[in-house]
Amino acid sequence: MADGRRKKQHFGRIHSFSCGRASFNGLHSLIGGPGFSRIVFCNDPECFEAGQLKYGGNYVRTTKYTLATYFPKALFEQFRRVANIYFLICAILSFTALSPYTAFSTVFPLVVVVGVTMGKEAVEDWKRKRQDIEMNNRKVKFHRGDGVFDYTKWMDLKVGDVVKVEKDEFFPADLILLSSSYDDAICYVETTNLDGETNLKLKQALDVTAKLLDDSSFENFRAIIKCEDPNANLYSFVGNMLLGEHQFPLTPQQLLLRDSKLRNTDYVYGVVIFTGHDTKVIQNSTAPPSKRSKIEKRMDKLVYLLFFALVLLSFIGSIFFGITTSEDLENGVMKRWYLRPDDTTIYFDPERAPVAAIFHFLTALMLYGYLIPISLYVSIEIVKVLQSVFINRDLNMYYVEGDKPARARTSNLNEELGQVDTILSDKTGTLTCNSMEFIKCTIAGTAYGHGITEVERALARGKEAPLVQEVVEDVEEIDETKPSVKGYNFIDERITNGNWVKEPRADVIQEFLRLLAVCHTAIPEADDETGKISYEAESPDEAAFVIAARELGFEFYERTQTSISMNELDPMSGRKVARIYKLMNIIEFSSSRKRMSVIVRNEEGKLLLLSKGADSVMFERLAQDGREFEVQTRLHINEYADAGLRTLVLAYRELSEEEYSEFNEEFSRAKNLVSADREEMIEEVAEMIEKDLILLGATAVEDKLQNGVPECIDKLAQAGIKLWVLTGDKMETAINIGFACSLLRQGMKQIIINSETSAIRALEKAGDKSAVDVAAKANVIQQISEGKALLSVASEDSEALALIIDGKSLIYALEDDVKDMFLELAIGCASVICCRSSPKQKALVTRLVKVKTGSTTLAIGDGANDVGMLQEADIGVGISGVEGMQAVMSSDIAIAQFRFLDRLLLVHGHWCYRRISTMICYFFYKNIAFGFTLFFFEAYASFSGQTAYNDWYMSFYNVFFTSLPVIAQGVFDQDIAARFCLKFPLLYQEGVQNVLFSWTRILGWAFNGVLSSTLIFFFCARAMEHQAFRKGGEVVGMEIFGTLMYTCLIWVVNCQMALSINYFTLIQHIVIWGGIALWYIFLLVYGAMDPDISTTAYQVFIEACAPALSFWLVTLFVTVATLLPYFSYAAIQMRFFPMYHQMIQWMKNDGHSEDPEYCQMVRQRSLRSTTVGYTARFSRSKLELPEQV
């Protein structure tokens, strides 16, 4: 086994000067104290001492319920709804003599409603449970004993187990690296799921454990690890290992985190130190919250309002009842003798009228219960589930390449999708594809490359850029004939296929391509079968440079610790020749240096300094005679930035032997320092040599956005939705992506808040942590104050600002006494980008926006580092990307690509919000109409507690005769077709501003319900009270009057629904008119039953109502008269005060929907000075162009 260990070159050797070995520092002295008390018995998890510690297992649960908590938690969820509490009280009272109807008719609907909703919750949680089962049952090799490794499930791992993880497997828990397949015990780890970064991280085991070469080595291995307690910090770790009599320090360099992946390493051995919910990735997540939409919360307030109305009506009725009852028997004289007040129960006893009034109050509370729609909740649950089915089956949100449809994992928040005010998005894997493409370059002042970026494509697809459109079409024709190479999208016949040798400045092009092929830290790997060389690089853009050099004739194929070998195209012979460059030094990239350099000696013996870096630091390091192409290069760099590309400037110079010798001596001395000044000393020495450079040109790579991201962001921005980017990436990377997806634009002022100041660095060097905290916080507060001052000036000038803040500054910005200032500044900016954010910070920022603004927030991400953010937001959207399922498992809705977000919100969100809002308003309308007819009849009958309708009439009102139309409306109605929702994004603001479920609209519908019930009752009463109804001259009885009034009510509420619908389907016709027809069929069937069953409805339709012409005339008259007020209001409102969706409907009906100029005029309402996106970017540049001219 030992012979099989890999000996090829790797990052560890390339960066040997920076890796260093672990040493004890101040924090190690804390081990054993508070917060540092964990003890791990390596390879002996079953020992007595380990058993006493009682560490948790490795089982991870993301479900909302367990078997034990399901019933109490689910019942609590149901009875958080005030309506259900009320109906529970009514169900209990229905078993007493106070009930105006039977107990079964009260209890059964409540059981059905609560049961159906709890069942839905159980099904949704079971889906989460199945995903947990899949993860917890993954297999990993662990040391069973006697040097034998066998497979076990993740969930069965214990603290102290030694595991063997193989290439491309995820780590099942937090491990300490013991050894690997490499001879110096290093391994490469991909942490995309944790911090969103795609570059590989280098980890290295302790020398003392590196000799554990194979499975049998662990037979007698025993050690004790003492370390910090479980915490959420991904980037720190303090511990030590006691092996034999010696103690060795442990640092983050040995820590392998759960959900990161082993790459480019055949296998590693590690010991489990944190399991399950103690692992750092789970510590960064929070328990799945029970989320409720804002509409549902407002609906509870509405139920409170109706309950208040119910109590008020009952109170009024009971007072009148008590007064009337007390007057029934005065001085032995009976006023209403036919009621026999001298021989009655306590409920009608004139001598105890106050008690009778109290009992009547309780009866009335149950009788008027139809004001509160018990079926509303279950109807909404049904509608939301069906809406979720439509979301899941929308082919326009189906990702063909990955065979992944959209998936609504919970249906509770459908309408919330139509009210999103702020989106908080991860970057890597969410906005981008985790890949870079070399697309353009400028060499010797000449621009090369016809590739088109996503931003340029987005502009060209609009009609604003016809010239760019022609270029796009030409390039796409070339694209079809060109085989694709990952990381390379360069198209220019002047330079490809060796044609660069014919260019006027071929000598500069040669140096440029040579620099690309040499100045890097990539590792070549040759495929054993095809011989094709691939590269593993620390960052995707570095890989793109090496691939571009290879494709253009400079193929890097081998690296040793001291040399770089490549086949390069010789311009003289036109053939490839092998050349070896001796690698002298690597001065690596850092965020403060913003550049990287290598020093090599070529075959002629010349010493060359090859350097690449950001234009902000490279141009100032050019020699006076090295600036020949500076003007043209700067111009091209600005053009590339406008296209959303990341640029690096390339320059070089020759070194003399004396200069290099002096530099190398100083550089070696700085590298070997072990003090805190080490990095600073290295930078100072590098400054000495990185000067007087000769400019060659600049590269432009595209941080490849996912398809359709710029268009999606543009649509969302026009809809008035703010987008914040929360990323673990460096600030420079995040800013480049901001430009790429048009969150940032040229000329937009950037408020940058960071903690990298010379004063703070000096304090850090001094080691005074408290002083550093005070200074850093004061610095952040000062920068925020300056930003607010700039914001007030910009608001006067209608300028857009961008806020960019790093993770260190965010720590202080989120403190209680600063966060309000920070939020005020952030809300005033058009774009907000938070860099180097930890998962906890992402969640805290999300909570800050959600709680302080009160607006609806949506978080979207693809990795485990986004879980806290997804759970904290009102809506969590998981990207079901290539890596991991943590985000999807913790999300409310899963989509495969960010570009589907515009359709999810602008189409489904708008429709769901409109449907649910209208549905709830209509539900309360029809129940108010129904309840007030009962109240008016009660008043008519001296508040005696007598119901106007047969018991089964009332039971079936919400079940059969009026519920199906409202469910159909909630599922199928469309005010605007999907393409118009996307064409006119501002329509979405109807949901954000909640215009369809405002108190004004709710009270308007409530008034309509009271008006309808008033007209129905009094028209029916006046028409039938003294009018002969049958041939014998009899007037109507209560059973006929109740049937007539109920018939009018069914007609009115169903026709009201027909008037409210915007988009009729066959199903809606069937349920509306079928509901009315069903009422007549029910009357026939129910009236034909035995009188003991049908009671007051026996033969009422056949014998009394149907033969009477007045029954049909009154029904027609009352229906028309009752609907006329609403019809008149709707016609006037649409004609003279149209809402935005009605304007679009008018435009469509008038034939203007295909007129580009007319549509553009309407869409311009979406653009404001602070709007981001490429449309606003282009409009802004058109406005600024005349000023520049």
Side-chain angles (χ1 to χ4, degrees):
M1 286 289 291
D3 294 334
R5 287 161 66 88
R6 300 171 70 176
K7 300 183 187 234
K8 65 179 188 176
Q9 298 303 314
H10 46 68
F11 296 137
R13 286 180 176 170
I14 295 168
H15 295 302
S16 57
F17 67 82
S18 64
C19 284
R21 294 297 177 188
S23 60
F24 288 101
N25 59 40
L27 289 173
H28 284 86
S29 64
L30 300 174
I31 292 173
F36 297 86
S37 61
R38 196 171 186 86
I39 302 175
V40 178
F41 295 89
C42 303
N43 210 22
D44 196 13
E46 303 292 345
C47 69
F48 175 77
E49 293 89 343
Q52 294 299 302
L53 296 171
K54 293 184 172 58
Y55 293 136
N58 201 38
Y59 185 89
V60 171
R61 181 174 67 86
T62 64
T63 55
K64 192 185 295 186
Y65 307 107
T66 64
L67 201 59
T69 64
Y70 170 68
F71 278 102
K73 280 187 75 173
L75 284 171
F76 172 74
E77 286 290 321
Q78 295 311 306
F79 290 104
R80 283 168 67 186
R81 296 168 170 171
V82 290
N84 286 350
I85 295 175
Y86 164 72
F87 286 115
L88 177 65
I89 295 170
C90 286
I92 295 169
L93 290 177
S94 67
F95 291 95
T96 69
L98 294 169
S99 177
Y101 28 70
T102 60
F104 181 79
S105 64
T106 308
V107 174
F108 180 71
L110 179 65
V111 171
V112 170
V113 167
V114 172
V116 168
T117 313
M118 286 176 63
K120 183 186 79 72
E121 287 282 307
V123 169
E124 289 181 348
D125 215 48
W126 172 244
K127 292 177 183 176
R128 298 189 191 99
K129 175 71 173 176
R130 279 165 41 190
Q131 290 175 333
D132 287 348
I133 290 171
E134 185 274 327
M135 174 171 282
N136 288 306
N137 282 278
R138 288 179 182 173
K139 298 293 183 67
V140 68
K141 286 183 178 179
F142 87 114
H143 185 227
R144 187 176 293 282
D146 301 324
V148 177
F149 278 73
D150 203 356
Y151 282 104
T152 188
K153 296 174 181 177
W154 279 23
M155 64 181 178
D156 294 332
L157 288 178
K158 301 182 184 68
V159 173
D161 275 332
V162 172
V163 298
K164 182 179 182 180
V165 179
E166 297 180 331
K167 185 178 179 180
D168 293 330
E169 290 183 349
F170 289 99
F171 298 118
D174 287 353
L175 313 175
I176 290 296
L177 176 64
L178 297 175
S179 62
S180 80
S181 58
Y182 284 109
D183 49 7
D184 52 359
I186 60 104
C187 70
Y188 303 115
V189 176
E190 185 182 90
T191 59
T192 305
N193 272 346
L194 304 181
D195 55 17
E197 294 188 4
T198 55
N199 52 304
L200 303 181
K201 308 291 193 303
L202 178 70
K203 301 289 184 177
Q204 188 164 22
L206 298 175
D207 284 342
V208 71
T209 61
K211 63 180 183 292
L212 299 167
L213 305 179
D214 52 28
D215 293 1
S216 60
S217 305
F218 289 91
E219 183 174 359
N220 299 313
F221 170 71
R222 296 291 185 276
I224 295 175
I225 292 176
K226 296 182 179 180
C227 64
E228 63 186 29
D229 293 337
N231 61 72
N233 196 326
L234 294 173
Y235 306 110
S236 71
F237 178 75
V238 177
N240 61 46
M241 177 184 286
L242 183 64
L243 188 59
E245 299 297 320
H246 301 285
Q247 194 165 281
F248 304 92
L250 296 172
T251 67
Q253 190 72 5
Q254 289 82 48
L255 183 63
L256 306 174
L257 298 178
R258 179 185 174 117
D259 274 341
S260 49
K261 181 184 274 192
L262 183 65
R263 302 305 286 265
N264 294 94
T265 311
D266 291 338
Y267 61 85
V268 297
Y269 293 102
V271 61
V272 176
I273 56 165
F274 297 126
T275 51
H277 291 272
D278 288 342
T279 57
K280 289 182 179 284
V281 66
I282 304 297
Q283 288 277 310
N284 269 281
S285 64
T286 54
S290 296
K291 296 182 180 180
R292 301 181 72 212
S293 70
K294 288 181 172 56
I295 284 185
E296 190 171 338
K297 291 174 184 175
R298 177 165 287 190
M299 191 167 69
D300 277 352
K301 294 177 183 176
L302 190 51
V303 170
Y304 281 123
L305 186 65
L306 286 178
F307 187 72
F308 173 76
L310 184 154
V311 171
L312 182 63
L313 293 178
S314 301
F315 183 71
I316 293 171
S318 60
I319 289 175
F320 277 100
F321 175 78
I323 293 171
T324 308
T325 301
S326 66
E327 294 174 350
D328 274 348
L329 189 63
E330 289 184 2
N331 301 322
V333 177
M334 293 182 290
K335 188 174 182 181
R336 294 188 294 181
W337 52 270
Y338 47 87
L339 295 178
R340 292 302 305 274
D342 58 330
D343 183 19
T344 187
T345 63
I346 190 174
Y347 304 110
F348 300 96
D349 190 346
E351 294 179 354
R352 289 187 286 178
V355 177
I358 292 171
F359 283 134
H360 178 274
F361 176 75
L362 296 175
T363 300
L365 283 179
M366 288 186 279
L367 179 62
Y368 301 145
Y370 284 92
L371 280 171
I372 300 173
I374 188 172
S375 62
L376 171 61
Y377 287 111
V378 73
S379 298
I380 287 178
E381 298 291 349
I382 293 169
V383 164
K384 287 184 176 181
V385 168
L386 293 174
Q387 287 176 348
S388 298
V389 170
F390 281 120
I391 291 173
N392 296 345
R393 297 191 177 184
D394 188 343
L395 291 177
N396 290 298
M397 293 197 295
Y398 173 66
Y399 184 49
V400 178
E401 289 84 349
D403 187 27
K404 291 176 180 175
R407 190 151 51 91
R409 301 182 72 250
T410 177
S411 58
N412 288 349
L413 305 169
N414 292 354
E415 68 274 24
E416 203 87 323
L417 291 170
Q419 296 184 279
V420 174
D421 179 72
T422 305
I423 295 173
L424 301 106
S425 174
D426 177 41
K427 182 191 77 69
T428 307
T430 302
L431 298 176
T432 65
C433 299
N434 296 347
S435 67
M436 302 282 186
E437 284 191 349
F438 186 92
I439 193 168
K440 294 181 182 184
C441 62
T442 172
I443 310 173
T446 303
Y448 295 98
H450 304 311
I452 301 298
T453 67
E454 285 297 321
V455 172
E456 289 171 318
R457 287 179 195 275
L459 272 174
R461 286 185 189 121
K463 299 190 178 175
E464 300 92 337
L467 294 176
V468 179
Q469 179 68 47
E470 294 168 15
V471 176
V472 172
E473 290 169 358
D474 293 341
V475 170
E476 286 178 346
E477 287 177 14
I478 297 170
D479 271 345
E480 292 174 3
T481 61
K482 183 175 84 59
S484 63
V485 178
K486 185 179 179 182
Y488 180 77
N489 187 24
F490 186 81
I491 304 164
D492 196 325
E493 63 284 350
R494 293 175 297 170
I495 202 170
T496 53
N497 301 320
N499 292 332
W500 60 266
V501 300
K502 303 172 188 175
E503 286 293 290
R505 297 306 303 266
D507 57 328
V508 180
I509 296 175
Q510 183 181 19
E511 294 292 345
F512 182 93
L513 297 177
R514 180 181 291 140
L515 193 153
L516 284 182
V518 174
C519 185
H520 57 77
T521 57
I523 302 166
E525 284 191 345
D527 189 291
D528 294 335
E529 296 180 3
T530 64
K532 181 81 173 174
I533 292 176
S534 60
Y535 303 103
E536 286 295 336
E538 287 189 295
S539 63
D541 49 352
E542 189 160 83
F545 294 144
V546 185
I547 291 167
R550 182 191 69 194
E551 296 297 316
L552 295 172
F554 287 70
E555 182 184 42
F556 158 60
Y557 66 88
E558 185 180 5
R559 177 192 288 278
T560 70
Q561 195 165 354
T562 57
S563 67
I564 289 177
S565 304
M566 65 181 183
N567 295 317
E568 62 178 71
L569 185 65
D570 181 32
M572 302 301 292
S573 64
R575 291 180 299 185
K576 284 192 175 182
V577 294
R579 287 211 170 92
I580 298 175
Y581 294 86
K582 188 175 180 183
L583 185 60
M584 310 301 288
N585 302 94
I586 296 177
I587 311 173
E588 64 178 11
F589 178 91
S590 72
S591 57
S592 57
R593 282 170 36 78
K594 298 184 181 178
R595 62 191 182 279
M596 172 202 176
S597 300
V598 297
I599 299 174
V600 296
R601 189 185 295 276
N602 65 14
E603 292 178 343
E604 289 78 38
K606 290 181 181 178
L607 283 166
L608 300 175
L609 170 69
L610 308 178
S611 190
K612 63 184 181 187
D615 58 320
S616 59
V617 297
M618 291 296 288
F619 283 124
E620 64 190 32
R621 285 169 172 75
L622 297 179
Q624 286 302 316
D625 58 352
R627 298 176 179 269
E628 182 182 353
F629 321 117
E630 182 181 2
V631 175
Q632 300 97 314
T633 304
R634 282 185 183 273
L635 181 64
H636 295 151
I637 285 174
N638 288 336
E639 290 174 358
Y640 297 155
D642 276 337
L645 297 173
R646 302 175 62 167
T647 58
L648 282 181
V649 173
L650 274 58
Y652 83 108
R653 76 176 176 108
E654 287 187 24
L655 302 177
S656 66
E657 293 292 341
E658 296 80 13
E659 187 180 13
Y660 173 70
S661 178
E662 183 183 346
F663 160 77
N664 193 41
E665 186 179 334
E666 293 289 331
F667 194 58
S668 298
R669 188 180 299 118
K671 284 192 298 181
N672 293 326
L673 279 176
V674 292
S675 70
D677 297 341
R678 181 176 179 274
E679 296 300 325
E680 191 171 320
M681 290 297 295
I682 289 174
E683 288 187 19
E684 286 180 8
V685 175
E687 288 277 350
M688 295 164 48
I689 199 81
E690 291 173 325
K691 61 183 181 180
D692 299 328
L693 301 174
I694 298 170
L695 178 65
L696 295 173
T699 59
V701 297
E702 184 177 14
D703 191 351
K704 191 68 177 171
L705 294 174
Q706 290 186 10
N707 289 336
V709 165
E711 295 97 324
C712 178
I713 289 177
D714 187 60
K715 286 277 194 297
L716 297 173
Q718 289 186 60
I721 301 172
K722 305 178 198 67
L723 182 66
W724 293 30
V725 176
L726 310 178
T727 176
D729 272 1
K730 299 188 295 288
M731 185 173 286
E732 296 85 354
T733 308
I735 289 173
N736 282 322
I737 280 296
F739 280 108
C741 57
S742 294
L743 283 174
L744 304 176
R745 57 175 178 257
Q746 292 297 314
M748 179 186 278
K749 290 182 180 177
Q750 296 177 10
I751 301 172
I752 296 179
I753 300 176
N754 63 42
S755 302
E756 296 296 324
T757 66
S758 56
I760 292 174
R761 278 199 294 267
L763 289 170
E764 286 174 344
K765 191 188 302 183
D768 190 345
K769 191 173 186 308
S770 60
V772 169
D773 287 342
V774 171
K777 184 174 180 178
N779 177 55
V780 168
I781 292 173
Q782 180 186 348
Q783 292 180 80
I784 291 175
S785 301
E786 291 171 357
K788 288 177 67 176
L790 189 61
L791 183 64
S792 60
V793 173
S795 60
E796 293 173 6
D797 299 337
S798 298
E799 287 186 13
L801 296 179
L803 174 63
I804 301 154
I805 184 170
D806 67 0
K808 284 184 180 177
S809 302
L810 203 53
I811 293 172
Y812 305 104
L814 292 174
E815 289 186 2
D816 289 341
D817 56 337
V818 185
K819 63 185 180 183
D820 288 342
M821 286 176 61
F822 166 67
L823 183 63
E824 186 181 345
L825 172 61
I827 289 173
C829 293
S831 299
V832 180
I833 300 176
C834 301
C835 318
R836 283 295 180 198
S837 307
S838 69
K840 209 79 169 180
Q841 284 178 323
K842 290 183 177 185
L844 289 172
V845 170
T846 305
R847 181 188 302 171
L848 177 65
V849 177
K850 179 179 76 171
V851 173
K852 293 292 184 180
T853 65
S855 55
T856 302
T857 56
L858 179 147
I860 180 168
D862 72 317
N865 60 321
D866 302 315
V867 168
M869 176 174 73
L870 299 184
Q871 293 183 341
E872 191 63 57
D874 293 301
I875 308 166
V877 176
I879 300 286
S880 49
V882 178
E883 299 295 345
M885 289 293 289
Q886 282 287 95
V888 170
M889 288 168 64
S890 302
S891 67
D892 303 304
I893 296 171
I895 55 177
Q897 297 266 286
F898 183 90
R899 61 189 163 99
F900 298 140
L901 192 61
D902 61 352
R903 185 172 180 86
L904 181 67
L905 298 186
L906 305 187
V907 178
H908 290 286
H910 172 73
W911 284 347
C912 290
Y913 164 74
R914 181 175 187 80
R915 290 164 177 169
I916 295 292
S917 300
T918 305
M919 178 182 176
I920 294 171
C921 288
Y922 175 78
F923 240 107
F924 283 112
Y925 156 77
K926 71 185 184 69
N927 278 67
I928 287 172
F930 184 65
F932 268 82
T933 57
L934 290 171
F935 175 75
F936 291 138
F937 183 80
E938 274 292 279
Y940 190 72
S942 297
F943 295 102
S944 60
Q946 176 64 50
T947 61
Y949 309 118
N950 182 284
D951 275 6
W952 286 104
Y953 291 5
M954 295 196 292
S955 297
F956 287 166
Y957 177 76
N958 281 318
V959 177
F960 293 119
F961 305 137
T962 61
S963 61
L964 291 180
V966 76
I967 289 174
Q969 181 273 335
V971 176
F972 298 108
D973 194 30
Q974 295 178 14
D975 58 336
I976 296 294
R979 68 188 186 95
F980 288 112
C981 289
L982 295 170
K983 196 171 186 177
F984 303 101
L986 192 63
L987 180 67
Y988 187 79
Q989 279 295 310
E990 288 189 351
V992 177
Q993 297 172 19
N994 203 19
V995 297
L996 301 179
F997 202 62
S998 63
W999 283 111
T1000 303
R1001 192 173 177 85
I1002 291 168
L1003 294 175
W1005 275 97
F1007 174 76
N1008 190 25
V1010 174
L1011 180 63
S1012 295
S1013 62
T1014 304
L1015 294 174
I1016 289 170
F1017 176 81
F1018 286 102
F1019 276 141
C1020 288
R1022 294 295 293 172
M1024 293 296 171
E1025 187 175 17
H1026 303 298
Q1027 178 67 38
F1029 187 73
R1030 302 191 183 185
K1031 291 180 180 178
E1034 301 95 337
V1035 295
V1036 298
M1038 187 188 72
E1039 69 284 355
I1040 297 173
F1041 179 70
T1043 301
L1044 172 63
M1045 194 161 60
Y1046 194 90
T1047 303
C1048 293
L1049 189 65
I1050 294 296
W1051 270 98
V1052 166
V1053 296
N1054 279 284
C1055 290
Q1056 175 69 67
M1057 172 54 70
L1059 289 176
S1060 304
I1061 286 175
N1062 293 284
Y1063 179 74
F1064 267 101
T1065 63
L1066 178 62
I1067 292 175
Q1068 284 164 312
H1069 280 295
I1070 289 173
V1071 295
I1072 289 174
W1073 313 122
I1076 296 172
L1078 186 63
W1079 159 240
Y1080 289 110
I1081 294 169
F1082 169 78
L1083 269 180
L1084 286 170
V1085 174
Y1086 183 53
M1089 293 180 181
D1090 188 273
D1092 290 336
I1093 299 173
S1094 57
T1095 60
T1096 58
Y1098 181 70
Q1099 297 292 341
V1100 71
F1101 184 68
I1102 293 291
E1103 289 189 359
C1105 296
L1109 181 62
S1110 57
F1111 172 81
W1112 303 102
L1113 291 175
V1114 169
T1115 301
L1116 177 62
F1117 173 78
V1118 170
T1119 301
V1120 173
T1122 306
L1123 293 174
L1124 192 59
Y1126 174 83
F1127 182 82
S1128 303
Y1129 164 79
I1132 293 169
Q1133 185 263 325
M1134 186 168 184
R1135 187 75 182 93
F1136 299 105
F1137 312 101
M1139 297 171 71
Y1140 194 66
H1141 72 273
Q1142 292 171 327
M1143 291 171 60
I1144 298 171
Q1145 288 172 345
W1146 273 110
M1147 189 172 70
K1148 178 186 172 186
N1149 295 335
D1150 291 347
H1152 292 305
S1153 59
E1154 304 303 326
D1155 184 342
E1157 291 186 10
Y1158 197 89
C1159 291
Q1160 182 63 20
M1161 181 183 69
V1162 176
R1163 276 204 303 267
Q1164 280 300 319
R1165 292 179 57 178
S1166 304
L1167 299 180
R1168 293 168 296 282
S1169 60
T1170 56
T1171 302
V1172 295
Y1174 67 80
T1175 301
R1177 180 178 184 171
F1178 190 77
S1179 300
R1180 189 74 182 174
S1181 64
K1182 284 200 296 186
L1183 290 172
E1184 291 172 354
L1185 187 61
E1187 297 173 13
Q1188 295 170 359
V1189 172

